[in-house]
Amino acid sequence: MSPKNLSVSGRSLNLLKTRITDKNLKRIYKKFEQSLNLNKNFIVAVSGGSDSLALAYLTKIYSLKKKIKAIYFIVDHRIRTGSTKEANSVKKLLKKHKIKTEVLSWKGKKPSSNIQSIARAARYDLLFKKCNQLRINNILLGHHSDDLLENFLIRILRGSGLRGLASFDKKTLNNKISIIRPLINLEKKDLIYVSERIFKFYVTDPSNSDDKFQRIKIRKLLTSLQKEGLDKKKFLSTINNLKSSDDTIKYFVKENLEKNVVFFGSRKIAILNNNFFKNPNEIIFRSLSECIKKIGENYYYVRGKKLQKIIDDLSNKTLFKGTLGRCIIKKIDQTVIISREN
């Protein structure tokens, strides 16, 4: 970095740091800095909500202190009327605070059902493309501890197994891109405080009060439970205990993949030997799920019921051919071959 740029960065850092004048902001930033602990360039997904505005501010200070690059993107899903105007307003607001952003628009036909899930997948797709273009392998998201509890209850209602219940973590890996949630140890009230203190503004999404979305019902349930005395620390402790058990299973899944799977053609074909299936069902289930995710280049794992049906067929049939997760799965004698669908 040139002396001129260092001078500019120094002035920007001083400008931002002068706003950390109260003990609460200092406490929040210190907790954030310890949580992130990253020394590589990163992308930040921003919206006008209190969570992501707080993330934008905290990451800007962090990037200047660490002298690393932070690149900011606002995803405009174009689902709500006025979303484009809102995105541009947030962009202007952040610019006033020395945070440069680019708006990414989700183009094409919009869904009429399962809107939040499909929109979330579209958002990740846009961000992953930017990661590949910029050769940056880290995306920072604004999820916080309240989101962790919401996600846990949603997974329970869906009948998720251990992996699903423990999957919402501070850091997850997808096709060599790290998805990092550095606010996961901070509460919603902390992030609202930062947004109000620094920006004196944040957007409230009207869908956040719409009971037709399952997440909103869960959010209201948690609010009621907290009024009845729900101990969030004990709740989070339970989730952490589940994660510890999940890590044990991940160890054996990794071992199964390393010993019993061979990838060819830049990981577009996988060959599974017979020992792959000489494991407890949970290890087989997760190992096969990982293979399909990698070969199919999917963000999400395939549905459990469909995958279990494939496993049962592979166990009971000498010859088998099926498709799942944009992959073709074939069994010939004792060998299973997974390849990408054209």
Side-chain angles (χ1 to χ4, degrees):
M1 186 180 288
S2 68
K4 181 180 178 181
N5 287 335
L6 283 171
S7 176
V8 170
S9 294
R11 288 200 300 272
S12 298
L13 179 57
N14 289 334
L15 177 64
L16 290 161
K17 287 179 72 175
T18 54
R19 294 174 190 168
I20 303 187
T21 55
D22 61 72
K23 291 182 180 179
N24 205 20
L25 273 179
K26 288 180 181 179
R27 173 189 63 80
I28 293 168
Y29 178 75
K30 184 177 180 181
K31 198 168 185 178
F32 168 82
E33 187 176 53
Q34 291 173 342
S35 176
L36 183 52
N37 191 28
L38 181 68
N39 291 307
K40 295 180 180 180
N41 298 338
F42 54 81
I43 280 173
V44 184
V46 187
S47 69
S50 58
D51 314 339
S52 66
L53 285 178
L55 179 65
Y57 173 70
L58 296 170
T59 52
K60 185 64 178 180
I61 296 176
Y62 185 92
S63 66
L64 292 169
K65 285 184 68 176
K66 300 290 184 179
K67 295 182 173 61
I68 56 179
K69 186 180 292 185
I71 303 176
Y72 297 82
F73 293 104
I74 301 169
V75 176
D76 176 14
H77 293 96
R78 296 185 175 180
I79 294 175
R80 289 187 290 110
T81 302
S83 66
T84 300
K85 182 179 179 181
E86 181 184 291
N88 288 326
S89 295
V90 173
K91 180 178 179 178
K92 289 178 182 178
L93 173 70
L94 291 172
K95 186 177 181 181
K96 290 179 182 178
H97 293 78
K98 310 297 180 184
I99 301 171
K100 182 181 177 182
T101 60
E102 179 184 343
V103 177
L104 306 178
S105 297
W106 179 27
K107 299 176 182 178
K109 187 178 180 180
K110 301 302 183 283
S112 57
S113 61
N114 200 20
I115 297 171
Q116 289 190 328
S117 178
I118 295 172
R120 184 165 54 251
R123 178 166 66 251
Y124 280 124
D125 188 51
L126 288 167
L127 293 170
F128 287 154
K129 286 179 180 176
K130 282 296 178 181
C131 279
N132 293 328
Q133 290 172 11
L134 298 169
R135 296 184 180 180
I136 292 177
N137 295 325
N138 301 291
I139 299 175
L140 271 58
L141 302 178
H143 297 121
H144 48 83
S145 64
D146 297 56
D147 292 320
L148 183 62
L149 298 182
E150 288 174 14
N151 193 71
F152 182 76
L153 290 177
I154 287 171
R155 296 295 175 89
I156 286 178
L157 291 177
R158 291 177 181 172
S160 296
L162 179 59
R163 180 172 67 180
L165 295 175
S167 66
F168 196 82
D169 211 346
K170 186 170 81 170
K171 181 177 179 180
T172 53
L173 194 65
N174 185 279
N175 293 327
K176 299 182 180 179
I177 296 175
S178 294
I179 300 170
I180 304 170
R181 302 175 177 90
L183 306 179
I184 204 74
N185 296 321
L186 290 167
E187 295 186 44
K188 177 78 172 181
K189 62 182 181 181
D190 291 325
L191 307 178
I192 290 175
Y193 184 86
V194 174
S195 295
E196 290 180 339
R197 178 72 176 81
I198 302 302
F199 300 102
K200 298 178 175 59
F201 165 89
Y202 62 88
V203 173
T204 301
D205 187 338
S207 68
N208 286 340
S209 59
D210 192 338
D211 282 344
K212 74 179 182 181
F213 296 118
Q214 185 186 50
R215 184 171 293 276
I216 307 309
K217 293 177 182 177
I218 293 295
R219 190 168 297 166
K220 291 183 177 181
L221 172 62
L222 278 170
T223 300
S224 298
L225 289 174
Q226 287 173 36
K227 290 179 180 177
E228 295 296 324
L230 170 69
D231 190 328
K232 290 176 69 174
K233 288 185 179 179
K234 289 183 179 179
F235 207 152
L236 293 171
S237 178
T238 297
I239 294 174
N240 286 330
N241 288 336
L242 290 174
K243 285 179 180 177
S244 178
S245 299
D246 189 56
D247 286 340
T248 302
I249 294 175
K250 285 179 180 177
Y251 173 85
F252 290 103
V253 169
K254 184 173 182 287
E255 185 177 61
N256 192 30
L257 292 170
E258 289 175 349
K259 290 183 177 180
N260 301 313
V261 181
V262 179
F263 290 95
F264 293 97
S266 299
R267 304 177 80 83
K268 291 184 178 180
I269 298 174
I271 296 180
L272 287 54
N273 65 36
N274 192 42
N275 289 329
F276 180 95
F277 297 93
K278 294 179 179 179
N279 283 284
N281 188 70
E282 181 67 13
I283 306 301
I284 298 170
F285 184 95
R286 292 205 196 187
S287 300
L288 188 57
S289 180
E290 288 286 351
C291 290
I292 292 172
K293 187 170 181 284
K294 288 178 182 178
I295 298 296
E297 295 181 353
N298 303 308
Y299 175 72
Y300 293 108
Y301 290 104
V302 294
R303 294 287 184 181
K305 288 182 179 179
K306 292 182 179 180
L307 182 61
Q308 188 59 55
K309 177 66 167 56
I310 293 282
I311 292 172
D312 293 341
D313 287 338
L314 290 172
S315 300
N316 298 323
K317 298 178 181 179
T318 304
L319 296 175
F320 171 80
K321 182 177 181 180
T323 59
L324 186 63
R326 298 194 292 184
C327 291
I328 299 170
I329 303 155
K330 293 190 292 186
K331 180 181 180 182
I332 303 172
D333 293 328
Q334 299 301 312
T335 303
V336 174
I337 301 171
I338 304 174
S339 58
R340 177 75 182 270
E341 278 187 305
N342 294 326

